[in-house]
Amino acid sequence: NAGVTQTPKFRVLKTGQSMTLLCAQDMNHEYMYWYRQDPGMGLRLIHYSVGEGTTAKGEVPDGYNVSRLKKQNFLLGLESAAPSQTSVYFCASSPEYSNQPQHFGDGTRLSIL
Amino acid sequence: AQKVTQAQTEISVVEKEDVTLDCVYETRDTTYYLFWYKQPPSGELVFLIRRNSFDEQNEISGRYSWNFQKSTSSFNFTITASQVVDSAVYFCALSEADSWGKFQFGAGTQVVVTP
């Protein structure tokens, strides 16, 4: 009964390093999302995908790239990490309708030094 | 553009008091969906309720109740007889019908319940 799984849970990077966050869902959901959560700002959408092989920009896409090669996986990449990308990152998935709640992973706490 | 406002940053109550969280939204769409999520100190996001724009019936679920009023664009959430386990951040979110399920979240309201 995994739902949405995010890997890793914690990570510390140095400025300029790159890394990839992995999100996997086992609910056969079409839609997947990446958010970042910062104090006092709620969750802001970085990128999203409405199906395998598709991606689109959200509210705050700069500095991030994504890929959805398989329906169950949604990867978020930071090519050159910056301190402003220090945040908690959440992945979510939902069925193919806007009226459905999103199911969230437990989050990845990322610190950029 | 859609927008969700949770004006209350933090609410502190003593156990057994009632607490109401405000959520005001903006949208030009006639069909949209509103959600409440809870984020306890452990950090995960827990779905609480969904309401459709064409269904203004208010709902009660145990100690939780929701008041949806289209006339004032509000979707408020009340916890009755609060308990320490209700301490969490609560988020209101809006999704429009043609938005590919994307959510616009409010900034969240921190609820602190003390014994």
Side-chain angles (χ1 to χ4, degrees), chain A residues 36-44 59, chain B residues 91 105-108:
Chain A
R36 60 178 289 172
Q37 182 179 16
D38 302 294
M41 303 186 74
L43 282 81
R44 293 181 293 168
E59 180 185 355
Chain B
F91 292 98
F105 281 90

Side-chain angles (χ1 to χ4, degrees), chain B residues 33-83:
Chain B
Y33 311 96
L34 296 162
F35 303 81
W36 276 96
Y37 280 80
K38 175 183 179 181
Q39 186 177 41
S42 50
E44 73 272 21
L45 285 148
V46 178
F47 165 67
L48 295 177
I49 192 171
R50 176 193 68 203
R51 177 62 69 231
N52 304 327
S53 58
F54 44 86
D55 178 8
E56 290 194 67
Q57 184 176 8
N58 294 319
E59 183 168 336
I60 298 174
S61 176
R63 296 184 298 105
Y64 295 166
S65 62
W66 290 270
N67 185 353
F68 175 38
Q69 292 191 332
K70 287 181 72 174
S71 60
T72 57
S73 298
S74 65
F75 185 40
N76 297 337
F77 171 36
T78 297
I79 304 172
T80 302
S82 61
Q83 300 176 0

Side-chain angles (χ1 to χ4, degrees), chain A residues 1-109:
Chain A
N1 194 13
V4 179
T5 303
Q6 292 184 230
T7 309
K9 296 190 183 306
F10 305 95
R11 186 73 183 269
V12 178
L13 291 178
K14 294 182 179 179
T15 298
Q17 288 185 318
S18 63
M19 79 160 295
T20 300
L21 280 64
L22 172 63
C23 176
Q25 53 98 1
D26 62 2
M27 296 171 284
N28 201 35
H29 285 168
E30 285 295 330
Y31 295 176
M32 295 187 75
Y33 312 86
W34 275 107
Y35 294 90
R36 60 178 289 172
Q37 182 179 16
D38 302 294
M41 303 186 74
L43 282 81
R44 293 181 293 168
L45 183 65
I46 304 171
H47 286 282
Y48 65 101
S49 168
V50 298
E52 181 178 311
T54 75
T55 62
K57 294 180 179 180
E59 180 185 355
V60 288
D62 294 343
Y64 305 95
N65 56 75
V66 289
S67 64
R68 184 115 180 255
L69 299 180
K70 294 184 178 181
K71 184 177 182 178
Q72 64 268 34
N73 295 337
F74 195 28
L75 279 62
L76 177 70
L78 286 73
E79 291 188 347
S80 180
S84 61
Q85 295 177 304
T86 293
S87 187
V88 180
Y89 292 85
F90 284 96
C91 176
S93 71
S94 70
E96 192 181 350
Y97 301 103
S98 294
N99 64 349
Q100 296 300 310
Q102 293 181 9
H103 299 255
F104 285 83
D106 289 341
T108 295
R109 187 172 297 275

